[in-house]
Amino acid sequence: MLDERPADVLAAYREFFDGADSGGEERVLRLFHDVAGSVPAYREFLRDHEVDPDSIRSLGDFRGLPLMTKDTYLRRHPLPRLCRHGRIDDSDMIAVSSGSTGRPTIWPRSLVDELHIARRFEQIFRDGFGAAGRSTLAVVCFPLGTWVGGLFTASCVRHLAAKGYPITVVAPGNNKGEILRVLPELGPHFDQVVLLGYPPFVKDVIDTGVAEGLDWSSYAIKLVLAGEVFSEEWRDLVARRAGMANPVTDSASLYGTADAGVLGNETPLSVSIRRFLAGRPELASELFGDLRLPTLVQYDPGSRFFEAQDGTLLFSGDSGIPLIRYHIADEGGVLPHRELLDVCVRHGFEPVPGPALPFVYVFGRSLFAVSFFGANVYPENVAVALEQPVISEQVTGKFVLETIEDEDRNRRLRITVELAPGRTVDTDAFSFDVAESVRHQLQRRNSEYAHYVPADQQLPQVQLRATGDAEYFPVGVKHRYTRQNPGN
Protein backbone atom coordinates (compact mmCIF):
# COMPACT_ATOMS: atom_id res chain seq x y z
CA MET A 1 0.00 0.00 0.00
CA LEU A 2 1.10 3.59 -0.69
CA ASP A 3 0.64 5.14 2.74
CA GLU A 4 0.91 8.79 1.64
CA ARG A 5 -1.55 8.65 -1.28
CA PRO A 6 -4.83 8.79 0.73
CA ALA A 7 -3.61 11.79 2.70
CA ASP A 8 -2.45 13.57 -0.47
CA VAL A 9 -5.78 12.95 -2.19
CA LEU A 10 -7.81 14.11 0.81
CA ALA A 11 -5.71 17.27 1.10
CA ALA A 12 -6.14 17.99 -2.63
CA TYR A 13 -9.90 17.43 -2.46
CA ARG A 14 -10.12 19.68 0.62
CA GLU A 15 -8.30 22.47 -1.22
CA PHE A 16 -10.47 21.93 -4.31
CA PHE A 17 -13.75 21.89 -2.37
CA ASP A 18 -12.79 24.90 -0.25
CA GLY A 19 -11.78 26.87 -3.33
CA ALA A 20 -8.52 27.81 -1.62
CA ASP A 21 -6.18 30.15 -3.48
CA SER A 22 -3.42 28.31 -5.34
CA GLY A 23 -0.71 30.34 -3.65
CA GLY A 24 0.43 32.86 -6.27
CA GLU A 25 3.77 33.13 -8.05
CA GLU A 26 5.83 32.24 -4.98
CA ARG A 27 4.43 28.72 -5.20
CA VAL A 28 6.70 27.99 -8.15
CA LEU A 29 9.74 28.42 -5.87
CA ARG A 30 8.33 25.84 -3.47
CA LEU A 31 7.68 23.54 -6.43
CA PHE A 32 11.25 23.93 -7.62
CA HIS A 33 12.77 23.00 -4.25
CA ASP A 34 10.39 20.08 -3.86
CA VAL A 35 11.28 18.73 -7.33
CA ALA A 36 15.00 19.31 -6.80
CA GLY A 37 14.79 17.23 -3.62
CA SER A 38 12.50 14.44 -4.78
CA VAL A 39 13.00 13.81 -8.53
CA PRO A 40 16.22 11.89 -9.33
CA ALA A 41 16.44 13.03 -12.95
CA TYR A 42 16.07 16.70 -12.01
CA ARG A 43 18.79 16.45 -9.35
CA GLU A 44 21.11 15.05 -12.02
CA PHE A 45 19.99 17.73 -14.48
CA LEU A 46 20.89 20.48 -12.01
CA ARG A 47 24.26 18.87 -11.23
CA ASP A 48 25.07 18.69 -14.94
CA HIS A 49 24.37 22.42 -15.18
CA GLU A 50 26.29 23.18 -11.98
CA VAL A 51 23.24 24.58 -10.19
CA ASP A 52 23.06 24.49 -6.40
CA PRO A 53 19.34 24.25 -5.48
CA ASP A 54 19.97 26.18 -2.24
CA SER A 55 21.08 29.19 -4.28
CA ILE A 56 17.61 29.58 -5.85
CA ARG A 57 15.85 31.94 -3.42
CA SER A 58 13.93 34.42 -5.57
CA LEU A 59 11.97 34.54 -8.81
CA GLY A 60 15.00 36.24 -10.34
CA ASP A 61 17.15 33.25 -9.39
CA PHE A 62 14.45 30.92 -10.72
CA ARG A 63 14.45 32.63 -14.12
CA GLY A 64 18.13 31.76 -14.49
CA LEU A 65 17.55 28.00 -14.24
CA PRO A 66 18.35 25.86 -17.31
CA LEU A 67 15.49 25.07 -19.67
CA MET A 68 13.98 21.62 -19.95
CA THR A 69 13.13 20.13 -23.33
CA LYS A 70 12.15 16.66 -24.41
CA ASP A 71 15.63 16.12 -25.86
CA THR A 72 17.71 17.61 -23.05
CA TYR A 73 15.69 16.19 -20.17
CA LEU A 74 12.80 13.82 -20.79
CA ARG A 75 14.49 11.52 -23.32
CA ARG A 76 17.75 11.33 -21.39
CA HIS A 77 16.36 9.56 -18.33
CA PRO A 78 14.38 6.38 -17.66
CA LEU A 79 10.72 7.14 -17.06
CA PRO A 80 10.68 6.30 -13.31
CA ARG A 81 13.58 8.70 -12.61
CA LEU A 82 11.48 11.55 -14.03
CA CYS A 83 8.91 10.91 -11.31
CA ARG A 84 9.11 11.71 -7.62
CA HIS A 85 11.30 9.33 -5.64
CA GLY A 86 12.04 7.45 -8.88
CA ARG A 87 8.66 5.69 -8.75
CA ILE A 88 6.15 5.65 -11.57
CA ASP A 89 3.65 3.79 -9.35
CA ASP A 90 3.07 7.00 -7.36
CA SER A 91 0.85 7.94 -10.33
CA ASP A 92 -2.49 6.24 -10.85
CA MET A 93 -3.08 7.01 -14.55
CA ILE A 94 -1.04 7.02 -17.75
CA ALA A 95 -1.69 9.14 -20.82
CA VAL A 96 0.21 9.20 -24.10
CA SER A 97 0.84 11.66 -26.88
CA SER A 98 2.37 11.19 -30.32
CA GLY A 99 5.82 12.66 -30.82
CA SER A 100 7.43 13.76 -34.05
CA THR A 101 8.36 10.17 -34.87
CA GLY A 102 4.92 8.83 -33.99
CA ARG A 103 6.38 7.01 -30.99
CA PRO A 104 4.15 7.81 -28.01
CA THR A 105 5.44 9.95 -25.17
CA ILE A 106 4.23 8.66 -21.81
CA TRP A 107 2.81 11.06 -19.23
CA PRO A 108 1.96 9.67 -15.76
CA ARG A 109 -0.52 11.61 -13.65
CA SER A 110 -2.61 11.26 -10.52
CA LEU A 111 -5.99 12.30 -9.21
CA VAL A 112 -4.23 15.12 -7.37
CA ASP A 113 -3.02 16.46 -10.73
CA GLU A 114 -6.54 16.30 -12.13
CA LEU A 115 -7.91 18.39 -9.28
CA HIS A 116 -5.54 21.22 -10.20
CA ILE A 117 -6.77 21.07 -13.79
CA ALA A 118 -10.42 20.78 -12.71
CA ARG A 119 -10.16 24.38 -11.49
CA ARG A 120 -9.81 25.52 -15.10
CA PHE A 121 -12.97 23.62 -16.07
CA GLU A 122 -14.72 25.05 -13.02
CA GLN A 123 -13.88 28.58 -14.10
CA ILE A 124 -15.46 27.94 -17.50
CA PHE A 125 -18.55 26.09 -16.27
CA ARG A 126 -19.19 28.47 -13.37
CA ASP A 127 -18.35 31.90 -14.81
CA GLY A 128 -19.28 31.39 -18.44
CA PHE A 129 -21.98 28.74 -18.43
CA GLY A 130 -23.65 29.44 -15.07
CA ALA A 131 -23.46 25.73 -14.29
CA ALA A 132 -23.75 26.21 -10.52
CA GLY A 133 -27.46 26.90 -10.96
CA ARG A 134 -28.31 25.01 -14.17
CA SER A 135 -28.51 21.28 -14.74
CA THR A 136 -25.85 20.48 -17.32
CA LEU A 137 -25.18 17.54 -19.61
CA ALA A 138 -21.47 17.45 -20.47
CA VAL A 139 -20.86 15.49 -23.69
CA VAL A 140 -17.19 14.50 -23.98
CA CYS A 141 -16.35 14.42 -27.70
CA PHE A 142 -12.58 14.08 -27.34
CA PRO A 143 -11.16 10.68 -28.35
CA LEU A 144 -11.25 8.11 -25.58
CA GLY A 145 -8.42 5.72 -24.79
CA THR A 146 -4.84 6.34 -23.75
CA TRP A 147 -4.75 9.79 -25.41
CA VAL A 148 -4.91 12.57 -22.92
CA GLY A 149 -8.04 14.43 -24.06
CA GLY A 150 -11.08 12.24 -23.45
CA LEU A 151 -10.57 10.49 -20.14
CA PHE A 152 -8.79 13.48 -18.61
CA THR A 153 -11.71 15.76 -19.53
CA ALA A 154 -14.29 13.30 -18.25
CA SER A 155 -12.43 12.99 -14.95
CA CYS A 156 -12.11 16.75 -14.44
CA VAL A 157 -15.77 17.43 -15.16
CA ARG A 158 -16.81 14.62 -12.81
CA HIS A 159 -14.77 16.32 -10.08
CA LEU A 160 -17.02 19.36 -10.58
CA ALA A 161 -20.04 17.12 -10.12
CA ALA A 162 -18.49 15.75 -6.92
CA LYS A 163 -18.09 19.33 -5.69
CA GLY A 164 -21.84 19.83 -6.05
CA TYR A 165 -22.35 21.24 -9.54
CA PRO A 166 -25.46 19.68 -11.15
CA ILE A 167 -23.41 18.19 -13.97
CA THR A 168 -23.86 14.78 -15.60
CA VAL A 169 -21.21 13.41 -17.93
CA VAL A 170 -21.69 11.21 -20.98
CA ALA A 171 -18.61 10.20 -22.97
CA PRO A 172 -19.32 8.98 -26.52
CA GLY A 173 -15.84 10.15 -27.54
CA ASN A 174 -15.26 11.15 -31.15
CA ASN A 175 -18.00 8.85 -32.42
CA LYS A 176 -20.25 11.26 -34.29
CA GLY A 177 -23.08 8.77 -34.72
CA GLU A 178 -23.13 7.99 -31.01
CA ILE A 179 -23.07 11.68 -30.07
CA LEU A 180 -26.07 12.39 -32.29
CA ARG A 181 -27.83 9.32 -30.90
CA VAL A 182 -27.49 10.08 -27.19
CA LEU A 183 -27.95 13.82 -27.36
CA PRO A 184 -31.64 13.90 -28.42
CA GLU A 185 -32.38 11.24 -25.82
CA LEU A 186 -30.62 12.92 -22.90
CA GLY A 187 -30.54 16.62 -23.82
CA PRO A 188 -34.21 17.46 -23.09
CA HIS A 189 -33.73 16.46 -19.44
CA PHE A 190 -31.15 19.22 -18.80
CA ASP A 191 -31.12 23.01 -18.78
CA GLN A 192 -28.08 23.08 -21.06
CA VAL A 193 -25.74 20.82 -23.01
CA VAL A 194 -21.97 21.33 -23.22
CA LEU A 195 -20.02 19.76 -26.10
CA LEU A 196 -16.32 19.29 -25.31
CA GLY A 197 -14.02 18.47 -28.23
CA TYR A 198 -11.63 19.59 -30.95
CA PRO A 199 -12.99 22.52 -32.99
CA PRO A 200 -13.31 20.93 -36.45
CA PHE A 201 -14.88 17.79 -35.03
CA VAL A 202 -17.40 19.72 -32.94
CA LYS A 203 -18.32 21.78 -36.02
CA ASP A 204 -18.75 18.58 -38.01
CA VAL A 205 -21.10 17.22 -35.33
CA ILE A 206 -23.13 20.44 -35.37
CA ASP A 207 -23.29 20.58 -39.19
CA THR A 208 -24.37 16.95 -39.39
CA GLY A 209 -27.05 17.59 -36.78
CA VAL A 210 -28.35 20.55 -38.77
CA ALA A 211 -28.48 18.40 -41.93
CA GLU A 212 -30.44 15.76 -40.02
CA GLY A 213 -32.96 18.32 -38.77
CA LEU A 214 -31.70 18.55 -35.20
CA ASP A 215 -32.83 21.72 -33.42
CA TRP A 216 -29.64 22.67 -31.61
CA SER A 217 -31.17 25.79 -30.11
CA SER A 218 -33.47 23.68 -27.95
CA TYR A 219 -30.47 22.36 -25.99
CA ALA A 220 -28.90 25.71 -24.95
CA ILE A 221 -25.59 24.54 -26.39
CA LYS A 222 -22.24 25.55 -24.89
CA LEU A 223 -18.79 24.60 -26.23
CA VAL A 224 -15.45 23.75 -24.62
CA LEU A 225 -12.78 23.50 -27.32
CA ALA A 226 -9.08 22.65 -27.36
CA GLY A 227 -6.13 21.86 -29.57
CA GLU A 228 -6.33 24.48 -32.32
CA VAL A 229 -6.38 28.20 -32.93
CA PHE A 230 -9.60 29.30 -34.62
CA SER A 231 -10.86 32.64 -35.89
CA GLU A 232 -13.63 34.72 -34.36
CA GLU A 233 -15.50 34.29 -37.66
CA TRP A 234 -15.37 30.55 -37.02
CA ARG A 235 -16.73 31.07 -33.50
CA ASP A 236 -19.59 33.19 -34.83
CA LEU A 237 -20.48 30.71 -37.57
CA VAL A 238 -20.60 27.74 -35.20
CA ALA A 239 -22.53 29.78 -32.64
CA ARG A 240 -25.19 30.61 -35.23
CA ARG A 241 -25.56 27.02 -36.37
CA ALA A 242 -25.75 25.76 -32.79
CA GLY A 243 -28.25 28.43 -31.80
CA MET A 244 -25.95 29.77 -29.07
CA ALA A 245 -27.18 32.91 -27.34
CA ASN A 246 -23.83 34.60 -26.72
CA PRO A 247 -20.52 33.42 -28.23
CA VAL A 248 -18.55 35.37 -25.61
CA THR A 249 -19.97 33.44 -22.66
CA ASP A 250 -21.14 30.25 -24.38
CA SER A 251 -17.81 29.01 -25.78
CA ALA A 252 -14.35 28.67 -24.30
CA SER A 253 -11.07 27.33 -25.62
CA LEU A 254 -8.52 25.52 -23.48
CA TYR A 255 -4.77 25.84 -23.88
CA GLY A 256 -3.82 22.28 -23.09
CA THR A 257 -0.98 19.86 -23.61
CA ALA A 258 -0.40 16.23 -22.84
CA ASP A 259 2.74 17.31 -20.99
CA ALA A 260 0.86 19.01 -18.14
CA GLY A 261 -2.88 19.05 -18.82
CA VAL A 262 -4.71 22.36 -19.17
CA LEU A 263 -2.38 25.34 -18.83
CA GLY A 264 -4.93 28.11 -19.26
CA ASN A 265 -8.43 28.78 -20.52
CA GLU A 266 -10.52 31.39 -22.25
CA THR A 267 -12.79 33.44 -20.03
CA PRO A 268 -15.55 35.82 -21.12
CA LEU A 269 -12.99 38.57 -20.43
CA SER A 270 -10.31 37.09 -22.70
CA VAL A 271 -12.84 36.25 -25.43
CA SER A 272 -14.25 39.77 -25.43
CA ILE A 273 -10.73 41.22 -25.74
CA ARG A 274 -9.81 38.81 -28.55
CA ARG A 275 -12.97 39.73 -30.46
CA PHE A 276 -12.13 43.41 -30.03
CA LEU A 277 -8.62 42.81 -31.38
CA ALA A 278 -9.92 40.67 -34.26
CA GLY A 279 -11.59 43.80 -35.62
CA ARG A 280 -8.40 45.84 -35.22
CA PRO A 281 -5.63 43.81 -36.90
CA GLU A 282 -3.10 46.67 -36.70
CA LEU A 283 -3.48 46.86 -32.92
CA ALA A 284 -3.40 43.08 -32.61
CA SER A 285 -0.22 42.91 -34.69
CA GLU A 286 1.38 45.61 -32.55
CA LEU A 287 0.39 43.82 -29.35
CA PHE A 288 1.29 40.25 -30.35
CA GLY A 289 4.07 40.95 -32.84
CA ASP A 290 2.45 38.85 -35.58
CA LEU A 291 -0.23 39.14 -38.26
CA ARG A 292 -1.89 36.00 -36.90
CA LEU A 293 -4.52 36.28 -34.17
CA PRO A 294 -3.46 33.92 -31.38
CA THR A 295 -5.54 32.11 -28.83
CA LEU A 296 -5.78 34.37 -25.77
CA VAL A 297 -6.35 32.71 -22.40
CA GLN A 298 -5.92 33.48 -18.73
CA TYR A 299 -3.87 31.34 -16.37
CA ASP A 300 -3.26 30.87 -12.66
CA PRO A 301 0.47 31.45 -11.99
CA GLY A 302 0.22 29.45 -8.76
CA SER A 303 -0.75 26.37 -10.77
CA ARG A 304 1.06 26.86 -14.09
CA PHE A 305 3.81 29.49 -14.13
CA PHE A 306 4.51 30.98 -17.57
CA GLU A 307 7.52 32.78 -18.98
CA ALA A 308 8.31 33.95 -22.49
CA GLN A 309 11.72 33.69 -24.12
CA ASP A 310 12.59 34.65 -27.71
CA GLY A 311 8.97 34.50 -28.79
CA THR A 312 8.29 31.05 -27.33
CA LEU A 313 6.69 29.92 -24.10
CA LEU A 314 8.12 28.22 -21.03
CA PHE A 315 6.02 26.88 -18.21
CA SER A 316 6.49 25.23 -14.84
CA GLY A 317 3.92 22.98 -13.21
CA ASP A 318 3.37 19.96 -11.06
CA SER A 319 2.24 16.62 -12.46
CA GLY A 320 3.29 12.98 -12.54
CA ILE A 321 6.43 14.27 -14.25
CA PRO A 322 7.01 17.71 -12.68
CA LEU A 323 8.27 20.25 -15.19
CA ILE A 324 10.44 23.26 -14.36
CA ARG A 325 11.00 25.92 -17.03
CA TYR A 326 9.86 23.49 -19.70
CA HIS A 327 10.30 24.74 -23.26
CA ILE A 328 7.23 23.41 -25.02
CA ALA A 329 8.12 25.16 -28.32
CA ASP A 330 4.78 26.96 -28.60
CA GLU A 331 5.07 30.42 -30.10
CA GLY A 332 3.48 33.07 -27.91
CA GLY A 333 3.93 35.41 -24.98
CA VAL A 334 2.69 36.60 -21.60
CA LEU A 335 0.77 39.79 -20.80
CA PRO A 336 0.07 41.11 -17.30
CA HIS A 337 -3.62 41.53 -16.52
CA ARG A 338 -3.53 45.30 -15.92
CA GLU A 339 -1.33 45.97 -18.95
CA LEU A 340 -3.75 44.34 -21.41
CA LEU A 341 -6.80 46.01 -19.87
CA ASP A 342 -5.06 49.39 -20.07
CA VAL A 343 -4.43 48.82 -23.80
CA CYS A 344 -8.14 48.14 -24.30
CA VAL A 345 -9.20 51.25 -22.36
CA ARG A 346 -6.76 53.47 -24.25
CA HIS A 347 -8.41 52.32 -27.49
CA GLY A 348 -11.94 52.94 -26.27
CA PHE A 349 -12.93 49.39 -25.34
CA GLU A 350 -14.24 48.30 -21.95
CA PRO A 351 -14.02 44.49 -21.67
CA VAL A 352 -16.56 42.44 -19.76
CA PRO A 353 -15.61 41.74 -16.11
CA GLY A 354 -13.37 38.78 -15.39
CA PRO A 355 -10.77 37.30 -13.07
CA ALA A 356 -7.67 39.36 -12.24
CA LEU A 357 -5.34 36.74 -13.73
CA PRO A 358 -2.53 37.28 -16.26
CA PHE A 359 -2.90 36.41 -19.94
CA VAL A 360 -0.92 34.09 -22.17
CA TYR A 361 -1.29 34.13 -25.96
CA VAL A 362 -0.48 31.12 -28.11
CA PHE A 363 0.14 30.79 -31.84
CA GLY A 364 1.08 27.12 -31.66
CA ARG A 365 4.12 25.27 -32.99
CA SER A 366 4.15 26.72 -36.48
CA LEU A 367 7.80 25.79 -37.05
CA PHE A 368 7.29 22.15 -36.15
CA ALA A 369 3.73 20.96 -36.66
CA VAL A 370 0.19 21.90 -37.57
CA SER A 371 -2.83 20.87 -35.57
CA PHE A 372 -5.72 19.13 -37.33
CA PHE A 373 -8.72 17.82 -35.37
CA GLY A 374 -6.49 18.11 -32.31
CA ALA A 375 -3.77 15.88 -33.75
CA ASN A 376 -0.28 17.28 -34.18
CA VAL A 377 0.81 16.59 -37.77
CA TYR A 378 4.59 16.69 -38.06
CA PRO A 379 6.68 17.30 -41.18
CA GLU A 380 8.67 14.16 -40.43
CA ASN A 381 5.56 12.04 -40.99
CA VAL A 382 4.88 13.65 -44.37
CA ALA A 383 8.51 13.45 -45.51
CA VAL A 384 8.41 9.66 -45.27
CA ALA A 385 5.42 9.57 -47.61
CA LEU A 386 7.32 11.53 -50.25
CA GLU A 387 10.28 9.19 -49.99
CA GLN A 388 8.32 6.19 -51.23
CA PRO A 389 9.21 4.58 -54.61
CA VAL A 390 7.80 6.29 -57.70
CA ILE A 391 6.80 9.40 -55.71
CA SER A 392 10.36 10.24 -54.66
CA GLU A 393 11.46 10.29 -58.31
CA GLN A 394 9.01 13.07 -59.13
CA VAL A 395 9.55 15.49 -56.22
CA THR A 396 12.37 17.41 -54.55
CA GLY A 397 11.28 16.42 -51.05
CA LYS A 398 10.25 19.97 -50.15
CA PHE A 399 6.67 20.58 -49.09
CA VAL A 400 4.53 22.95 -47.03
CA LEU A 401 2.06 21.63 -44.49
CA GLU A 402 -0.89 23.84 -43.50
CA THR A 403 -4.53 23.82 -42.51
CA ILE A 404 -7.00 25.90 -44.49
CA GLU A 405 -10.64 26.85 -44.16
CA ASP A 406 -13.14 26.79 -46.99
CA GLU A 407 -16.00 29.25 -47.37
CA ASP A 408 -18.10 27.16 -45.00
CA ARG A 409 -15.37 27.34 -42.31
CA ASN A 410 -14.54 23.65 -42.63
CA ARG A 411 -10.88 22.90 -41.92
CA ARG A 412 -8.79 20.85 -44.36
CA LEU A 413 -5.23 19.57 -44.22
CA ARG A 414 -3.32 20.76 -47.28
CA ILE A 415 0.14 19.76 -48.45
CA THR A 416 1.87 21.71 -51.19
CA VAL A 417 4.62 19.64 -52.85
CA GLU A 418 7.52 20.84 -55.00
CA LEU A 419 8.00 18.89 -58.20
CA ALA A 420 11.51 17.88 -59.23
CA PRO A 421 13.10 20.05 -61.95
CA GLY A 422 11.78 19.31 -65.40
CA ARG A 423 9.18 16.82 -64.16
CA THR A 424 5.74 16.77 -65.73
CA VAL A 425 3.07 14.51 -64.31
CA ASP A 426 -0.62 13.79 -64.63
CA THR A 427 -1.53 16.33 -61.96
CA ASP A 428 -4.76 14.80 -60.70
CA ALA A 429 -3.50 11.22 -60.64
CA PHE A 430 -0.16 12.09 -59.04
CA SER A 431 -1.78 14.38 -56.43
CA PHE A 432 -4.04 11.50 -55.44
CA ASP A 433 -1.08 9.11 -55.19
CA VAL A 434 0.75 11.56 -52.94
CA ALA A 435 -2.34 12.10 -50.77
CA GLU A 436 -2.79 8.34 -50.38
CA SER A 437 0.84 7.90 -49.42
CA VAL A 438 0.62 10.68 -46.83
CA ARG A 439 -2.57 9.26 -45.37
CA HIS A 440 -1.01 5.81 -45.11
CA GLN A 441 2.11 7.09 -43.35
CA LEU A 442 0.14 9.27 -40.95
CA GLN A 443 -2.14 6.38 -40.04
CA ARG A 444 0.90 4.18 -39.47
CA ARG A 445 3.22 6.61 -37.71
CA ASN A 446 0.97 9.08 -35.90
CA SER A 447 -1.49 7.50 -33.47
CA GLU A 448 -3.17 10.85 -32.78
CA TYR A 449 -3.94 11.34 -36.47
CA ALA A 450 -5.27 7.80 -36.82
CA HIS A 451 -7.63 8.14 -33.86
CA TYR A 452 -8.48 11.86 -33.68
CA VAL A 453 -9.15 12.68 -37.32
CA PRO A 454 -12.40 11.22 -38.74
CA ALA A 455 -11.77 8.66 -41.45
CA ASP A 456 -13.46 10.78 -44.13
CA GLN A 457 -11.11 13.70 -43.33
CA GLN A 458 -7.82 11.79 -43.27
CA LEU A 459 -7.01 12.10 -46.97
CA PRO A 460 -5.19 15.44 -47.28
CA GLN A 461 -5.59 17.91 -50.11
CA VAL A 462 -2.42 17.94 -52.24
CA GLN A 463 -1.39 20.68 -54.63
CA LEU A 464 1.71 20.56 -56.84
CA ARG A 465 4.02 23.47 -57.58
CA ALA A 466 6.97 23.80 -59.95
CA THR A 467 10.55 23.90 -58.72
CA GLY A 468 11.38 27.24 -57.11
CA ASP A 469 7.75 28.39 -56.97
CA ALA A 470 7.93 31.96 -55.64
CA GLU A 471 5.02 31.58 -53.21
CA TYR A 472 5.90 28.25 -51.60
CA PHE A 473 9.49 27.39 -52.56
CA PRO A 474 11.43 30.62 -53.20
CA VAL A 475 15.06 30.10 -54.17
CA GLY A 476 17.69 31.24 -51.69
CA VAL A 477 15.36 31.35 -48.69
CA LYS A 478 15.50 28.90 -45.80
CA HIS A 479 12.58 26.55 -46.31
CA ARG A 480 9.81 26.23 -43.71
CA TYR A 481 7.79 23.04 -43.83
CA THR A 482 4.73 24.41 -42.05
CA ARG A 483 2.65 27.51 -42.54
CA GLN A 484 0.02 29.22 -40.43
CA ASN A 485 -2.57 31.25 -42.31
CA PRO A 486 -3.48 34.68 -40.87
CA GLY A 487 -6.82 34.54 -39.04
CA ASN A 488 -6.82 30.75 -38.74
Side-chain angles (χ1 to χ4, degrees), residues 139-338:
V139 185
V140 177
C141 305
F142 292 107
L144 303 177
T146 55
W147 302 277
V148 68
L151 293 181
F152 201 169
T153 298
S155 295
C156 289
V157 178
R158 290 189 73 190
H159 293 319
L160 300 186
K163 190 171 182 176
Y165 288 86
I167 296 173
T168 302
V169 179
V170 62
N174 61 337
N175 184 328
K176 184 169 62 174
E178 184 67 7
I179 294 167
L180 294 173
R181 186 188 71 81
V182 301
L183 196 145
E185 188 171 341
L186 296 174
H189 303 296
F190 295 85
D191 295 330
Q192 61 183 355
V193 173
V194 180
L195 303 179
L196 303 99
Y198 295 117
F201 181 75
V202 169
K203 180 181 182 295
D204 188 25
V205 169
I206 291 171
D207 287 347
T208 302
V210 170
E212 295 179 357
L214 190 68
D215 180 13
W216 288 105
S217 63
S218 66
Y219 300 113
I221 292 292
K222 310 292 186 293
L223 302 179
V224 176
L225 306 163
E228 298 183 13
V229 180
F230 52 81
S231 66
E232 289 305 314
E233 291 83 358
W234 185 95
R235 193 193 307 263
D236 286 339
L237 174 64
V238 173
R240 285 195 303 271
R241 293 186 180 178
M244 294 159 59
N246 184 352
V248 173
T249 59
D250 293 353
S251 62
S253 183
L254 305 171
Y255 174 28
T257 168
D259 314 53
V262 177
L263 305 176
N265 57 278
E266 284 188 333
T267 62
L269 169 61
S270 74
V271 174
S272 68
I273 293 174
R274 187 176 192 258
R275 291 168 73 81
F276 165 70
L277 294 171
R280 292 158 181 80
E282 299 85 2
L283 176 59
S285 178
E286 178 185 338
L287 190 62
F288 301 125
D290 200 290
L291 293 175
R292 295 171 289 163
L293 185 66
T295 296
L296 180 67
V297 304
Q298 292 186 269
Y299 70 97
D300 177 359
S303 175
R304 297 293 184 263
F305 183 78
F306 274 101
E307 303 169 80
Q309 180 169 300
D310 300 326
T312 59
L313 293 171
L314 318 175
F315 73 85
S316 302
D318 202 358
S319 191
I321 296 178
L323 299 171
I324 304 293
R325 305 200 79 219
Y326 182 64
H327 187 255
I328 194 174
D330 280 344
E331 294 182 344
V334 179
L335 290 168
H337 178 267
R338 189 68 261 168

